[in-house]
Amino acid sequence: MQFFIDTANIDEIREAASWGTVAGVTTNPSLVAKESRPHREIIEEISALIDGPISVETLSLDSLGMLKEAHEFATWSPNVVIKCPMTIEGLKATKQLSAEGIKTNVTLIFTANQALLAALAGATYVSPFVGRLDDIGQDGMALIQDIRTVFDQYYFETQILTASVRHPQHVLRAAQLGSDVATVPFKILKQLYSHPLTDSGIEKFLADWKKSGLSTDA
Ligand code: E4P
């Protein structure tokens, strides 16, 4: 499973990129709005930091508007993936972009039927929002399992991008269930690296070494 980082914050992306595990970036209108900077400038800066796919979301509600935005976004970086919402208009735009060879990410997926439709429209990625399903008392990870089953049944190449990740257990379950990608907020990505026993283990090793009086030279 690949990790994408779910943010439009350049400092977070720069830091996470230096850790060597981030393969791509996802943004959405809320994340971009938080940065209070021109959209294009943000995406171009991300593109200088990350070699992999960068999802950029359209704002129009009609397919023609989405296509116009998509064609503009695609000039910002060769790595741009166009995010369209899971609506009839969004799937019309996805189908057209796919025919043009432009990569797409169908977002706001909440059922396996929606994921199936997006795959049939030629989506490169589908983004099921597990955290938002959990928020309303449904089982977000069960959706990942259902989509995996359907996609495997028909050999769809569309990748499952687990989104709306809220904690490390979502990440582990996504990996266990065969999600192709998990897009993870910076704070949670950082949590994945840590364990208190790792920290106390390092402290103990260093304390024992110091007590021994041995040199640190090889
Ligand atoms: C990413 O593609 C999604 O837009 C994002 O993961 C949504 O996360 P949220 O439900 O925490 O806003």
Side-chain angles (χ1 to χ4, degrees):
M1 185 176 77
Q2 287 189 312
F3 285 121
F4 289 0
I5 185 165
D6 196 23
T7 182
N9 182 281
I10 295 296
D11 292 336
E12 291 183 350
I13 294 168
R14 185 180 294 108
E15 172 71 11
S18 76
W19 302 341
T21 40
V22 173
V25 179
T26 51
T27 65
N28 65 34
S30 307
L31 293 171
V32 173
K34 268 208 283 191
E35 301 306 310
S36 307
R37 294 172 54 210
H39 198 182
R40 180 181 186 143
E41 188 178 293
I42 294 174
I43 301 303
E44 284 177 344
E45 282 184 31
I46 296 174
S47 168
L49 292 170
I50 295 277
D51 273 344
I54 305 163
S55 286
V56 184
E57 189 155 343
T58 54
L59 290 155
S60 297
L61 296 177
D62 64 298
S63 62
L64 286 181
M66 287 178 208
L67 288 170
K68 192 161 175 263
E69 288 177 62
H71 291 136
E72 162 70 16
F73 296 164
T75 66
W76 296 353
S77 159
N79 298 351
V80 162
V81 172
I82 306 299
K83 239 174 157 184
C84 295
M86 177 53 232
T87 58
I88 289 173
E89 291 299 306
L91 291 196
K92 278 159 65 176
T94 300
K95 177 121 190 156
Q96 175 59 28
L97 292 168
S98 157
E100 293 174 23
I102 295 177
K103 290 189 173 154
T104 53
N105 174 357
V106 176
T107 189
L108 291 161
I109 298 262
F110 293 98
T111 70
N113 282 337
Q114 289 181 321
L116 172 58
L117 290 165
L120 289 168
T124 314
Y125 300 96
V126 287
S127 287
F129 278 32
V130 296
R132 292 194 196 185
L133 278 173
D134 290 355
D135 289 346
I136 59 160
Q138 295 188 22
D139 183 353
M141 296 319 298
L143 174 59
I144 304 301
Q145 185 150 39
D146 286 346
I147 299 173
R148 183 76 279 156
T149 303
V150 172
F151 282 12
D152 288 352
Q153 179 92 358
Y154 298 105
Y155 306 104
F156 282 124
E157 284 177 15
T158 300
Q159 295 189 47
I160 303 173
L161 196 168
T162 298
S164 188
V165 162
R166 300 266 201 265
H167 47 70
Q169 277 302 313
H170 275 153
V171 178
L172 175 60
R173 288 293 292 142
Q176 288 171 330
L177 292 168
S179 182
D180 300 285
V181 185
T183 189
V184 185
F186 179 78
K187 189 179 140 205
I188 296 165
L189 196 59
K190 202 167 178 193
Q191 280 180 337
L192 299 179
Y193 282 83
S194 331
H195 194 281
L197 289 178
T198 306
D199 297 341
S200 60
I202 291 170
E203 265 175 45
K204 171 94 170 69
F205 286 151
L206 291 183
D208 289 346
W209 190 268
K210 207 170 165 192
K211 259 190 280 168
S212 76
L214 284 165
S215 147
T216 49
D217 297 340

